[in-house]
Amino acid sequence: MYKIVKAEKLADKIFLMDVHAPRVAGHCQPGQFVIVKMDEKGERIPLTICDYDREAGTITIVFQEVGASTTKMSSLKEGDYFRDFTGPLGCPSEFIHEDPESLKNRKILFVAGGVGAAPVYPQAKWLKERGIDADVIVGAKTKDMLILEDEMKAVAGNYYPCTDDGSYGHAGMVTTKIEKLVEEGRKYDVCVAIGPMIMMKFVCLLTKKLGIPTVVSMNPIMVDGTGMCGACRLQVGDEIKFACVDGPEFDGHLVDFDQAMKRSQMYKTEEGRAMLKLQEGDTHHGGCGHCGGDE
Amino acid sequence: MADMLKKVPVREQDPKVRAANFEEVCFGYNMEEAMEEAQRCLNCKNAKCIKGCPVSIDIPGFIHQVKEGNIEEAYKVIGKSSALPAICGRVCPQESQCEGVCIRGIKGEPVSIGKLERFVADYALEHDIKPQGADKMNGHKVAVIGSGPSGLTCAGDLAKMGYDVTVFEALHELGGVLVYGIPEFRLPKQKVVAREIEKVKELGVKFETNVVIGKSTTIDQLMEDEGYEAVFIGSGAGLPMFMGIPGENANGVFSANEYLTRSNLMKAFDDDYDTPIIAGKKVAVVGGGNVAMDAARTALRLGADVHIVYRRSEAELPARVEEVHHAKEEGVVFDLLRNPKKINVDENGNIRSMTVIKMELGEPDASGRRRPIEVPGSEYDIEVDTVIMSLGTSPNPLISSTTKGLDVNRRKCIVADEETGRTSKEGVYAGGDAVTGAATVILAMGAGKAGAKGIDEYLKSKEK
């Protein structure tokens, strides 16, 4: 059993929890993920790691209520337990293997969408701790949906919030902010984009045009998360890759997003999709792989 | 007196009934039937069956006790060699092991050793007969990676010798392939697997779930930081293989591992559980091994019309005869000498059909089986909405890539000595599918036994 030592609502349908899992906290790195299972009958749910405290033995997770399981999970409170919590899974972000001195010479741009801000945070933080300032764009539908703002400001070189409705920061999609920064003369050596698949797809189309190598973090349907089932397979260039053991980060210019988006719809019935669209309306960003919002 | 040339028949669920449920197919013997079948054992002096058993159970010895009605004694005889008899009695390929060399089988049917083993083990579970543990602990700590058949056997044997054993399991349930791979109708999870693991716990073995060795911690850290003096790797087979044909990433194409994991481990067949599974209306299972039979029979129970697509003929099917027989009885159709060429996909990414080509058999290949050759121009489409690929697995690199000095072979399997399980790294032993590639439960158990012996010898030699 894994104790929830903190539970907090960050925004509508978005929750943060600190969970006591010393083995995971002792070994995790930016870019990796965990799998949680609420109770005996629950699903195994992959979630990105938002932060970790090696001393306290805790992992911070952030998730959005998108289906039956995550809705049930959002009712858990401080002092409750997850039946299962395993990880860290997947490979760490590639830059953590590089020499921090040479990283200082590279200009990194993070682009986060919705709850994608959560997995971007530990990466930007890791760099900041080594004296490397990266620019961070975070997009959301509206101001109230922006999460982890103070945290992100503290670790980013430049922090650029964007809202689709113009209620805060740059008005428009994250792609228009990237275009604007590049027009203003900013040069980036690498872009890391994490968010809904549709966002990552359009960021990649743009950065390909701009000639900026781009890393994306994929969150397809998974079961075991250790390489055993192959449910998370993706077409990356000419190869089939398993997000759980080969990823979750891949060269975004090689990922077949259209196929990945279709695969993420596999367990959705037409009725279920329609109902979710109705319930969630325009607050929904897609990319969760559970709801049909990517279509 | 019954016909001594024939096995006492075992009662089974009617095929028509069982094709729609997940209850166990075979009911097993009762006391009367078991004692009658035990009469058929000739109690050979030079018992070939013992040599045919990968863990060398004293088969005539335990059958003699069954004949006398001393089931508790029979369990003790088996317990000297096997920690998991209720499992082996159900899933071992007896026809090619103990029963395959039974002298009774020369004229007539061999003794039904597997069903007798199962009877004894089930009796022990029902009557809560405790296994015999160590008299005292020796204070040495050993880690076992994986709670599948090789890990459980190795852990059980070491605990009986007095070692302080902890088993690390990556998943949330104990049992490895016994819980994620083999279906409920062949091996009940609560009634058999969980209770048999409980017996291993009674020997003093400790278990920690949700620990992915290579990620949550490493073998080097277990040995350096946590004080484990030896490690046994029984991490099992790994990544599912796909054919590499067009359309294989379509919605509705699954590895057998995924399909079975959803149904068995996550219990997706039961509506009370949250994990979904796509039952499919018309399912093609590609492959001819035991895993293919398990996937086919699972899909059938979920309500699908199921075809096995296999590129060789019936004689070459690698699955156990009993499994093929059961699958046919239940209504699985065998499309033999057929091989998939491509999966045809609609605009939403779903399967529309699968194109297969007819095959014929040529000269024997390296495996000794006749090589299948395509018949040119014989392609045709079969209408399916779900395809399950059951083509075997390739080893998972999680452990080998994170353990210093651990050698793997060209196929990326861990290199280990057959007799002792010793690897290239001091204090580290390995066995089961992680070493051999996908094989059987009982072979993995044999390797677990060898590993326990190897570790015992190693730690004793270090003491001197």
Side-chain angles (χ1 to χ4, degrees), chain B residues 249-289:
Chain B
N249 286 354
N251 290 356
V253 183
F254 305 98
S255 73
N257 264 11
E258 177 184 355
Y259 202 75
L260 291 170
T261 299
R262 284 181 182 276
S263 181
N264 302 333
L265 175 73
M266 306 310 294
K267 302 202 166 45
F269 70 85
D270 182 340
D271 283 343
D272 285 349
Y273 287 75
D274 296 340
T275 301
I277 191 165
I278 291 174
K281 288 192 178 67
K282 191 155 179 201
V283 177
V285 178
V286 181

Side-chain angles (χ1 to χ4, degrees), chain A residues 29-30 51-52 54 100 104 121-134 154-156:
Chain A
Q29 299 285 0
D51 204 358
Y52 47 89
R54 300 214 198 281
K104 279 181 186 161
Y121 174 70
Q123 302 199 16
K125 184 182 171 188
W126 189 95
L127 292 167
K128 179 79 178 175
E129 284 167 354
R130 284 154 187 82
I132 302 153
D133 282 342
V155 298

Side-chain angles (χ1 to χ4, degrees), chain B residues 195-261:
Chain B
R195 284 162 81 184
E196 204 130 86
I197 291 173
E198 209 47 47
K199 298 266 172 238
V200 179
K201 283 185 188 163
E202 283 166 7
L203 291 170
V205 175
K206 288 171 272 189
F207 289 90
E208 199 178 327
T209 52
N210 297 320
V211 183
V212 184
I213 301 296
K215 293 287 178 188
S216 312
T217 188
T218 63
I219 287 180
D220 291 294
Q221 286 167 321
L222 285 177
M223 298 180 85
E224 285 159 26
D225 304 340
E226 298 194 33
Y228 291 98
E229 294 164 76
V231 176
F232 177 80
I233 306 169
S235 53
L239 286 53
M241 294 201 274
F242 290 91
M243 294 186 78
I245 56 172
E248 223 172 357
N249 286 354
N251 290 356
V253 183
F254 305 98
S255 73
N257 264 11
E258 177 184 355
Y259 202 75
L260 291 170
T261 299

Side-chain angles (χ1 to χ4, degrees), chain A residues 161-178:
Chain A
C162 307
T163 51
D164 296 358
D165 65 358
S167 55
Y168 185 65
H170 171 84
M173 304 277 187
V174 291
T175 41
T176 59
K177 184 67 192 176
I178 301 172

Side-chain angles (χ1 to χ4, degrees), chain B residues 42-122:
Chain B
L42 297 167
N43 203 1
C44 307
K45 269 212 182 70
N46 176 20
K48 292 214 157 110
C49 50
I50 301 179
K51 294 191 191 86
C53 173
V55 296
S56 309
I57 292 173
D58 177 5
I59 292 165
F62 97 77
I63 293 180
H64 175 75
Q65 297 297 341
V66 175
K67 204 188 298 180
E68 303 291 316
N70 300 328
I71 310 305
E72 192 162 343
E73 285 307 311
Y75 179 69
K76 281 181 188 156
V77 174
I78 297 175
K80 281 180 197 151
S81 313
S82 171
L84 311 169
I87 293 165
C88 290
R90 287 171 165 84
V91 302
C92 266
Q94 289 102 3
E95 68 274 13
S96 57
Q97 297 175 356
C98 53
E99 293 181 22
V101 291
C102 175
I103 301 300
R104 266 282 176 215
I106 295 170
K107 211 174 123 193
E109 291 178 354
V111 176
S112 193
I113 300 168
K115 298 289 184 285
L116 287 173
E117 180 186 28
R118 171 184 158 157
F119 168 73
V120 170
D122 284 0

